[in-house]
Amino acid sequence: MKKPLAGLLALAATALALAGCGGDDAGDDGKIGGEITVLTQRTDIVNTVFQDYKKKFEAKYPGTTVKFEAITDYEGEVRVRMNTDDYGDVLLIPNSVNADQLPSFFEPLGTVDELQGKYRFVRTEQTFGGKVYGLAITGNAQGYVFNRKIWTQAGVTQPPKTPQEFLDALKAIKEKTSATPLYTNYKDGWPLGQWEGSRGSVSGDPDAAIKLAKDDSPWAAGKEHFIIDSLLYDAVKAGYTEADPTTTNWEQSKGLLGTGKIATMMLGSWSVVQMQQAAPSADDIGYWPFPNQTGGKFHTVVSGDYKNAINIHSKNKATARAWIDWFTDESNYATDQGGVSPLKTAGMPKTLEGLTAAQTEFIEFNPAPKGEEGLAEKIGNAAEIALYDGKYRQGIVDAARGAKNQSKEQIFADLNKKWADTRAKLK
């Protein structure tokens, strides 16, 4: 039986700590120059947009060479590679890395106090012990991306305020159009992890992540995970999703939504520009908040996307750091991709107009108490309910479509038991 990858990471982190490994500085003289390898998940633009970044960076720092390695199954492949020293010089921190593992795998970029004045998302994300280990490539609001023409054709022109209104909208789309109302992107897995982004958006609570780590029954009726995962289950059960989820394709899905063959996908706001690029007109693509209101208002959590970090074993940390600083401060990646810039001096992008028109309240999570950083994710990983990788939600889809003999109540009871049992062990 293979050990879960998150478990392998934990073993690797322990081994590094016991060995007193604080990184490998051999060959790194602190000067910016030489070659670095940058890992990226952007297989779609690595040979276009990223080549322009390479030219600009190398022009600013003569004597440097940037090589990119684009990885389709980023989470899966990089988690395995992190059991060795070979995981690039600069990489995006995988979601399965627990906060207390950060010092074993990545070089600190500075303290929270030093960086929070300039950058968003450093107070609570990829930090440990007051140190920051990654800077966001962009920031996202949370909700769903949709084809406006299809929704309008179905008679829905305002964002649904409740899960039932959302399901009613999907029903209207199925009955009045030829589009697939909601696409899960089941096969690739990670898009189902995007549903986790609605945590906090449902409750409007900036302490949602802290409270999740202290809850023994997150899937109890009325709680955030019950509401989020019930919506997924109910949509699949009602036949509002793709006919055969095992054949979905992420890259193809962008064109399908852009041209109106798919109506909706539950994704972070980073997805809007990609869908617009696949549509006849950018105006065909809209973005609305998760269909739930608290206190009569929609909410959305604004958070960082993947974080650029330095491999602690890199032999060229100075150039790696220069790349991260340049990418964050000068590349304009976040704005160009329709995201929220990690730079506090930048304003909100046009892609979020649908949220502001719906008078959505933007919130950021509060920092966890000392010693509880990333605790919810740690519990999830240990319980084999990794919150962001999509696998447990694949199980929900399987049950809802009849491929697995489990009711929604049974699924949620099982999730609650695993979560509670793991919390007890980690106390």
Side-chain angles (χ1 to χ4, degrees):
M1 177 179 170
K2 290 184 179 179
K3 292 181 179 177
L5 292 175
L8 290 175
L9 283 175
L11 290 174
T14 302
L16 283 168
L18 291 174
C21 247
D24 183 356
D25 291 318
D28 186 354
D29 58 7
K31 295 179 181 178
I32 299 172
E35 182 178 286
I36 57 169
T37 297
V38 178
L39 308 189
T40 177
Q41 92 288 23
R42 293 305 302 270
T43 55
D44 54 337
I45 58 173
V46 69
N47 294 322
T48 53
V49 175
F50 273 56
Q51 296 306 311
D52 185 49
Y53 294 158
K54 169 184 168 70
K55 288 176 186 174
K56 290 177 179 177
F57 179 81
E58 291 175 357
K60 180 172 182 175
Y61 297 104
T64 61
T65 302
V66 180
K67 289 176 60 179
F68 298 110
E69 192 175 338
I71 302 170
T72 301
D73 179 16
Y74 188 88
E75 287 286 327
E77 185 173 328
V78 175
R79 281 182 293 180
V80 174
R81 286 177 59 173
M82 285 175 62
N83 291 295
T84 72
D85 294 352
D86 179 22
Y87 46 98
D89 296 288
V90 176
L91 69 156
L92 308 169
I93 301 174
N95 289 317
S96 58
V97 177
N98 295 328
D100 58 359
Q101 295 172 328
L102 292 170
S104 297
F105 292 100
F106 306 104
E107 192 75 10
L109 302 179
T111 66
V112 172
D113 287 343
E114 290 167 345
L115 298 175
Q116 67 178 343
K118 183 176 183 180
Y119 298 113
R120 295 182 172 109
F121 319 127
V122 297
R123 293 167 58 243
T124 62
E125 302 177 27
Q126 303 300 12
T127 67
F128 185 73
K131 293 181 180 179
V132 177
Y133 289 88
L135 292 180
I137 57 174
T138 184
N140 300 306
Q142 302 300 325
Y144 54 95
V145 61
F146 67 98
N147 187 294
R148 194 185 310 277
K149 288 174 73 174
I150 296 298
W151 277 66
T152 301
Q153 190 178 334
V156 185
T157 57
Q158 295 297 320
K161 296 179 180 179
T162 67
Q164 187 57 53
E165 284 187 14
F166 184 81
L167 291 169
D168 290 344
L170 298 185
K171 183 173 186 287
I173 290 167
K174 185 173 183 178
E175 292 175 347
K176 298 178 182 179
T177 80
S178 59
T180 298
L182 178 68
Y183 197 75
T184 69
N185 255 309
Y186 170 102
K187 187 173 182 291
D188 283 282
W190 66 262
L192 280 167
Q194 293 280 299
W195 287 70
E196 188 64 29
S198 296
R199 181 208 309 173
S201 296
V202 174
S203 64
D205 187 352
D207 288 329
I210 298 170
K211 291 177 179 177
L212 174 61
K214 297 178 179 179
D215 191 348
D216 273 337
S217 56
W219 287 269
K223 294 183 180 178
E224 282 199 302
H225 279 77
F226 178 91
I227 293 170
I228 294 166
D229 290 338
S230 286
L231 183 57
L232 173 61
Y233 181 96
D234 294 344
V236 176
K237 183 79 172 175
Y240 300 150
T241 54
E242 63 269 14
D244 184 1
T246 64
T247 62
T248 62
N249 182 290
W250 162 245
E251 289 299 336
Q252 289 179 7
S253 74
K254 292 185 275 189
L256 293 173
L257 189 137
T259 56
K261 293 180 177 65
I262 292 169
T264 322
M265 286 195 276
M266 194 70 67
L267 297 168
S269 63
W270 57 267
S271 63
V272 175
V273 168
Q274 293 188 43
M275 304 303 164
Q276 287 176 334
Q277 290 169 346
S281 168
D283 292 337
D284 292 348
I285 307 302
Y287 197 78
W288 279 342
F290 188 89
N292 193 79
Q293 291 193 331
T294 301
K297 295 190 71 172
F298 289 114
H299 295 82
T300 186
V301 174
V302 182
S303 59
D305 203 299
Y306 272 125
K307 314 297 187 300
N308 270 327
I310 300 172
N311 179 351
I312 200 169
H313 304 288
S314 170
K315 293 182 171 58
N316 197 349
K317 292 176 184 173
T319 305
R321 177 57 189 268
W323 170 262
I324 290 177
D325 289 344
W326 180 87
F327 190 93
T328 310
D329 297 353
E330 300 180 44
S331 74
N332 214 42
Y333 173 87
T335 302
D336 290 345
Q337 296 300 315
V340 178
S341 174
L343 289 169
K344 285 190 168 182
T345 52
M348 288 292 173
K350 185 179 178 182
T351 49
L352 300 186
E353 284 179 342
L355 296 181
T356 53
Q359 298 184 319
T360 307
E361 185 174 324
F362 292 74
I363 60 174
E364 285 191 50
F365 282 138
N366 289 327
K370 188 174 181 180
E372 295 181 19
E373 300 94 340
L375 183 54
E377 282 67 34
K378 188 174 183 178
I379 294 167
N381 292 340
E384 297 185 14
I385 313 172
L387 297 170
Y388 285 100
D389 77 357
K391 286 181 181 166
Y392 95 80
R393 288 189 171 95
Q394 284 178 325
I396 291 174
V397 172
D398 285 339
R401 68 189 180 98
K404 189 163 123 181
N405 187 23
Q406 231 182 352
S407 67
K408 181 168 71 172
E409 291 73 23
Q410 289 171 327
I411 293 170
F412 289 176
D414 182 52
L415 288 168
N416 279 330
K417 185 177 188 309
K418 285 182 178 177
W419 187 271
D421 290 350
T422 304
R423 271 199 76 241
K425 291 174 186 174
L426 291 177
K427 283 181 181 175

